[in-house]
Amino acid sequence: FTWVVLIVNFLCFIVITISYIMINFKTLHSSRRIRDKSRADDTLTRRNRSVQRKITFIIITDFLCWIPFITTCLLHYYEVVDASSWYSTFSIIILPINSVIKPPCCTTIPCPGAYRE
């Protein structure tokens, strides 16, 4: 059961990270196309860069929250460390911080398609 939970957590982290990276690349590609077409429209380029920074921040916070948790669980499973007391720290402090950080970032990200003419 432990392995199933760890593998599912890790796979979810990978899928989410890949999805955010794809959004980041699409935004970068969009910025380059707009920059090539018109040098005058810097507003959309700035907005796309803002989206890229926010996505990068989300990926980093996910990494900093989930990878230590998964690593700690693996080390506990292999009896390298006794992480029994750490689970409450992760579940009460670290993972909720990640959950609280993400919605403001996601809701303040402008939709790049909404600014096209």
Side-chain angles (χ1 to χ4, degrees):
F1 179 73
T2 302
W3 279 104
V4 171
V5 171
L6 289 175
I7 289 171
V8 167
N9 274 331
F10 185 71
L11 289 176
C12 288
F13 172 76
I14 295 297
V15 167
I16 290 168
T17 301
I18 289 171
S19 299
Y20 280 129
I21 289 171
M22 288 173 57
I23 292 170
N24 213 354
F25 280 124
K26 291 280 188 178
T27 306
L28 181 64
H29 179 68
S30 171
S31 292
R32 285 184 181 156
R33 273 197 341 227
I34 291 167
R35 191 175 23 203
D36 291 343
K37 287 182 181 178
S38 169
R39 300 250 181 223
D41 191 9
D42 288 331
T43 304
L44 187 56
T45 302
R46 280 195 306 268
R47 287 180 181 155
N48 284 349
R49 285 187 186 147
S50 174
V51 170
Q52 290 170 340
R53 281 192 300 272
K54 290 175 185 180
I55 290 172
T56 302
F57 179 73
I58 290 169
I59 291 171
I60 289 170
T61 58
D62 279 351
F63 179 84
L64 291 176
C65 289
W66 284 104
I67 295 301
F69 178 72
I70 293 169
T71 304
T72 301
C73 291
L74 286 172
L75 292 173
H76 181 77
Y77 179 79
Y78 285 118
E79 298 176 355
V80 175
V81 294
D82 180 19
S84 300
S85 63
W86 299 359
Y87 290 125
S88 60
T89 303
F90 275 108
S91 63
I92 295 172
I93 298 172
I94 296 174
L95 297 179
I97 287 174
N98 186 36
S99 298
V100 167
I101 287 173
K102 213 177 290 186
C105 286
C106 293
T107 57
T108 58
I109 293 175
C111 178
Y115 299 103
R116 289 188 191 151
E117 295 182 18

